[in-house]
């Protein structure tokens, strides 16, 4: 177990932090929603009931959506675009790596490399495909959760009739929620790309070696 934890420490820490902050988000979101219900003269709801509300679903999927869009887009864009001097970019002169081709397969290479054909075509792009599919799923979750929350807010404030997901997708409210997250994600990645040209973090694979010149591109 100790060896397994050491070998998987990064993912365990990241997913552990994710679960911790998700629970904390749900607790504070539950308290916020109950405060709002009390303001409208309604009875507060239980914690488990809150987890099934649009208020919680919208907040969760709205953020997941932007994160997966950022990572999927970033993985795809770094396959074709370069940034001179950045550790986040592949070297300018290295557009394709020999090991990306099946001719350089090793005995322990993943099975699609040996099968080739359609399986290899998909596998060659599987990371960006998976991330963008997660984005699409989160986008739908945000839309459905946002629709439920929008309808409840409308009912509480004005008694307006509920709208469907397609109608909510055409509101400025839905796209305002999305864009405020999308812009911040791409800002953060852009800042990392540029700062990694000039700044270093000892021991991190996201940084060039401390002694590397600023013009060195890639790790």
């Amino acid at each position: 177990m100790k060896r397994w934890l050491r070998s998987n420490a990064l993912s365990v820490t990241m997913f552990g932090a994710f679960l911790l902050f998700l629970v904390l988000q749900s607790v504070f979101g539950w308290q916020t929603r109950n405060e709002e219900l009390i303001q409208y003269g309604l009875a507060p709801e239980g914690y488990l009931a809150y987890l099934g509300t649009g208020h919680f679903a919208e907040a969760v999927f709205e953020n997941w959506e932007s994160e997966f869009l950022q990572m999927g887009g970033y993985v795809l864009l770094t396959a074709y675009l370069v940034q001179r001097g950045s550790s986040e970019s592949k070297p300018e002169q290295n557009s394709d790596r020999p090991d990306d081709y099946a001719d350089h397969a090793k005995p322990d290479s993943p099975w699609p490399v040996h099968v080739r054909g359609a399986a290899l075509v998909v596998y060659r792009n599987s990371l960006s495909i998976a991330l963008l599919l997660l984005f699409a799923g989160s986008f739908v979750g945000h839309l459905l959760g946002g629709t439920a929350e929008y309808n409840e807010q409308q009912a509480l404030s004005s008694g307006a009739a509920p709208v469907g997901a397609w109608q909510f997708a055409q509101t400025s409210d839905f796209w305002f929620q999305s864009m405020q997250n999308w812009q911040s994600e791409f800002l953060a990645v852009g800042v990392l790309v540029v700062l990694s040209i000039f700044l270093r973090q000892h021991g991190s694979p996201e940084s060039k070696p401390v002694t590397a010149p600023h013009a060195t591109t890639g790790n």
Side-chain angles (χ1 to χ4, degrees), residues 6 48-49 73 80-81 85 107 109 113 123 174 177 216:
R6 176 174 293 183
L48 292 180
Y80 301 100
L81 306 178
S109 294
V113 178
Y123 187 69
F174 173 71
Q177 294 170 10
T216 300

PDB file of all heavy atoms in Angstrom, residues 6 48-49 73 80-81 85 107 109 113 123 174 177 216:
ATOM      1  N   ARG A   6       2.903   5.910  -2.965  1.00  0.00           N
ATOM      2  CA  ARG A   6       4.030   6.700  -3.466  1.00  0.00           C
ATOM      3  C   ARG A   6       3.983   6.794  -4.992  1.00  0.00           C
ATOM      4  O   ARG A   6       4.239   7.854  -5.559  1.00  0.00           O
ATOM      5  CB  ARG A   6       5.349   6.089  -3.011  1.00  0.00           C
ATOM      6  CG  ARG A   6       6.576   6.786  -3.575  1.00  0.00           C
ATOM      7  CD  ARG A   6       7.861   6.238  -2.992  1.00  0.00           C
ATOM      8  NE  ARG A   6       7.988   6.543  -1.579  1.00  0.00           N
ATOM      9  CZ  ARG A   6       9.047   6.218  -0.837  1.00  0.00           C
ATOM     10  NH1 ARG A   6      10.052   5.556  -1.382  1.00  0.00           N
ATOM     11  NH2 ARG A   6       9.096   6.537   0.440  1.00  0.00           N
ATOM     12  N   LEU A  48     -29.377  16.132   1.759  1.00  0.00           N
ATOM     13  CA  LEU A  48     -29.476  15.167   0.660  1.00  0.00           C
ATOM     14  C   LEU A  48     -30.425  15.668  -0.419  1.00  0.00           C
ATOM     15  O   LEU A  48     -30.186  15.443  -1.615  1.00  0.00           O
ATOM     16  CB  LEU A  48     -29.929  13.810   1.186  1.00  0.00           C
ATOM     17  CG  LEU A  48     -28.926  13.080   2.090  1.00  0.00           C
ATOM     18  CD1 LEU A  48     -29.490  11.742   2.547  1.00  0.00           C
ATOM     19  CD2 LEU A  48     -27.591  12.871   1.366  1.00  0.00           C
ATOM     20  N   ALA A  49     -31.496  16.334  -0.020  1.00  0.00           N
ATOM     21  CA  ALA A  49     -32.423  16.902  -1.006  1.00  0.00           C
ATOM     22  C   ALA A  49     -31.726  17.981  -1.829  1.00  0.00           C
ATOM     23  O   ALA A  49     -31.960  18.102  -3.039  1.00  0.00           O
ATOM     24  CB  ALA A  49     -33.652  17.475  -0.298  1.00  0.00           C
ATOM     25  N   GLY A  73      -9.054  21.559 -25.172  1.00  0.00           N
ATOM     26  CA  GLY A  73      -8.563  22.502 -26.170  1.00  0.00           C
ATOM     27  C   GLY A  73      -7.058  22.662 -26.107  1.00  0.00           C
ATOM     28  O   GLY A  73      -6.380  22.745 -27.140  1.00  0.00           O
ATOM     29  N   TYR A  80      -0.473  21.270 -32.456  1.00  0.00           N
ATOM     30  CA  TYR A  80      -0.268  21.974 -33.724  1.00  0.00           C
ATOM     31  C   TYR A  80       0.412  23.335 -33.579  1.00  0.00           C
ATOM     32  O   TYR A  80       1.038  23.808 -34.533  1.00  0.00           O
ATOM     33  CB  TYR A  80      -1.629  22.184 -34.415  1.00  0.00           C
ATOM     34  CG  TYR A  80      -2.352  20.890 -34.696  1.00  0.00           C
ATOM     35  CD1 TYR A  80      -3.370  20.442 -33.866  1.00  0.00           C
ATOM     36  CD2 TYR A  80      -1.993  20.093 -35.786  1.00  0.00           C
ATOM     37  CE1 TYR A  80      -4.025  19.245 -34.117  1.00  0.00           C
ATOM     38  CE2 TYR A  80      -2.637  18.888 -36.036  1.00  0.00           C
ATOM     39  CZ  TYR A  80      -3.651  18.472 -35.206  1.00  0.00           C
ATOM     40  OH  TYR A  80      -4.291  17.280 -35.447  1.00  0.00           O
ATOM     41  N   LEU A  81       0.294  23.964 -32.408  1.00  0.00           N
ATOM     42  CA  LEU A  81       0.853  25.301 -32.226  1.00  0.00           C
ATOM     43  C   LEU A  81       2.032  25.266 -31.263  1.00  0.00           C
ATOM     44  O   LEU A  81       2.095  24.407 -30.371  1.00  0.00           O
ATOM     45  CB  LEU A  81      -0.230  26.248 -31.677  1.00  0.00           C
ATOM     46  CG  LEU A  81      -1.526  26.329 -32.485  1.00  0.00           C
ATOM     47  CD1 LEU A  81      -2.513  27.272 -31.805  1.00  0.00           C
ATOM     48  CD2 LEU A  81      -1.257  26.774 -33.916  1.00  0.00           C
ATOM     49  N   GLY A  85      10.152  29.278 -26.427  1.00  0.00           N
ATOM     50  CA  GLY A  85      10.675  29.501 -25.088  1.00  0.00           C
ATOM     51  C   GLY A  85       9.818  28.924 -23.974  1.00  0.00           C
ATOM     52  O   GLY A  85      10.246  28.913 -22.824  1.00  0.00           O
ATOM     53  N   PRO A 107       7.357  -3.892 -27.974  1.00  0.00           N
ATOM     54  CA  PRO A 107       6.547  -5.047 -27.546  1.00  0.00           C
ATOM     55  C   PRO A 107       5.475  -4.685 -26.512  1.00  0.00           C
ATOM     56  O   PRO A 107       4.389  -5.255 -26.504  1.00  0.00           O
ATOM     57  CB  PRO A 107       7.578  -6.012 -26.969  1.00  0.00           C
ATOM     58  CG  PRO A 107       8.845  -5.666 -27.687  1.00  0.00           C
ATOM     59  CD  PRO A 107       8.809  -4.176 -27.877  1.00  0.00           C
ATOM     60  N   SER A 109       4.045  -1.692 -26.184  1.00  0.00           N
ATOM     61  CA  SER A 109       3.229  -0.555 -26.602  1.00  0.00           C
ATOM     62  C   SER A 109       1.749  -0.896 -26.452  1.00  0.00           C
ATOM     63  O   SER A 109       1.370  -2.074 -26.530  1.00  0.00           O
ATOM     64  CB  SER A 109       3.519  -0.193 -28.066  1.00  0.00           C
ATOM     65  OG  SER A 109       4.829   0.290 -28.217  1.00  0.00           O
ATOM     66  N   VAL A 113      -1.752   0.251 -31.028  1.00  0.00           N
ATOM     67  CA  VAL A 113      -0.573   0.485 -31.867  1.00  0.00           C
ATOM     68  C   VAL A 113      -0.265  -0.758 -32.696  1.00  0.00           C
ATOM     69  O   VAL A 113       0.135  -0.660 -33.865  1.00  0.00           O
ATOM     70  CB  VAL A 113       0.645   0.863 -30.996  1.00  0.00           C
ATOM     71  CG1 VAL A 113       1.882   1.057 -31.862  1.00  0.00           C
ATOM     72  CG2 VAL A 113       0.353   2.123 -30.191  1.00  0.00           C
ATOM     73  N   TYR A 123      -6.965   6.029 -31.099  1.00  0.00           N
ATOM     74  CA  TYR A 123      -6.036   6.066 -29.970  1.00  0.00           C
ATOM     75  C   TYR A 123      -5.052   7.229 -30.088  1.00  0.00           C
ATOM     76  O   TYR A 123      -4.674   7.827 -29.081  1.00  0.00           O
ATOM     77  CB  TYR A 123      -5.281   4.743 -29.861  1.00  0.00           C
ATOM     78  CG  TYR A 123      -4.436   4.651 -28.626  1.00  0.00           C
ATOM     79  CD1 TYR A 123      -5.027   4.545 -27.372  1.00  0.00           C
ATOM     80  CD2 TYR A 123      -3.041   4.689 -28.705  1.00  0.00           C
ATOM     81  CE1 TYR A 123      -4.255   4.479 -26.222  1.00  0.00           C
ATOM     82  CE2 TYR A 123      -2.269   4.616 -27.560  1.00  0.00           C
ATOM     83  CZ  TYR A 123      -2.877   4.515 -26.324  1.00  0.00           C
ATOM     84  OH  TYR A 123      -2.113   4.456 -25.193  1.00  0.00           O
ATOM     85  N   PHE A 174     -27.561  31.886 -19.367  1.00  0.00           N
ATOM     86  CA  PHE A 174     -26.806  30.650 -19.558  1.00  0.00           C
ATOM     87  C   PHE A 174     -25.423  30.928 -20.136  1.00  0.00           C
ATOM     88  O   PHE A 174     -24.413  30.412 -19.652  1.00  0.00           O
ATOM     89  CB  PHE A 174     -27.577  29.703 -20.484  1.00  0.00           C
ATOM     90  CG  PHE A 174     -26.796  28.476 -20.865  1.00  0.00           C
ATOM     91  CD1 PHE A 174     -26.539  27.480 -19.930  1.00  0.00           C
ATOM     92  CD2 PHE A 174     -26.299  28.314 -22.152  1.00  0.00           C
ATOM     93  CE1 PHE A 174     -25.808  26.339 -20.282  1.00  0.00           C
ATOM     94  CE2 PHE A 174     -25.580  27.183 -22.506  1.00  0.00           C
ATOM     95  CZ  PHE A 174     -25.326  26.196 -21.562  1.00  0.00           C
ATOM     96  N   GLN A 177     -22.997  32.647 -17.701  1.00  0.00           N
ATOM     97  CA  GLN A 177     -22.389  31.692 -16.784  1.00  0.00           C
ATOM     98  C   GLN A 177     -21.224  30.956 -17.443  1.00  0.00           C
ATOM     99  O   GLN A 177     -20.172  30.750 -16.832  1.00  0.00           O
ATOM    100  CB  GLN A 177     -23.441  30.681 -16.326  1.00  0.00           C
ATOM    101  CG  GLN A 177     -24.557  31.255 -15.489  1.00  0.00           C
ATOM    102  CD  GLN A 177     -25.682  30.256 -15.277  1.00  0.00           C
ATOM    103  OE1 GLN A 177     -25.546  29.070 -15.595  1.00  0.00           O
ATOM    104  NE2 GLN A 177     -26.800  30.715 -14.730  1.00  0.00           N
ATOM    105  N   THR A 216      14.944  28.360 -24.753  1.00  0.00           N
ATOM    106  CA  THR A 216      14.733  26.921 -24.868  1.00  0.00           C
ATOM    107  C   THR A 216      13.237  26.622 -24.849  1.00  0.00           C
ATOM    108  O   THR A 216      12.515  27.056 -23.956  1.00  0.00           O
ATOM    109  CB  THR A 216      15.416  26.178 -23.714  1.00  0.00           C
ATOM    110  OG1 THR A 216      16.808  26.442 -23.746  1.00  0.00           O
ATOM    111  CG2 THR A 216      15.177  24.683 -23.826  1.00  0.00           C
TER     112      THR A 216
END
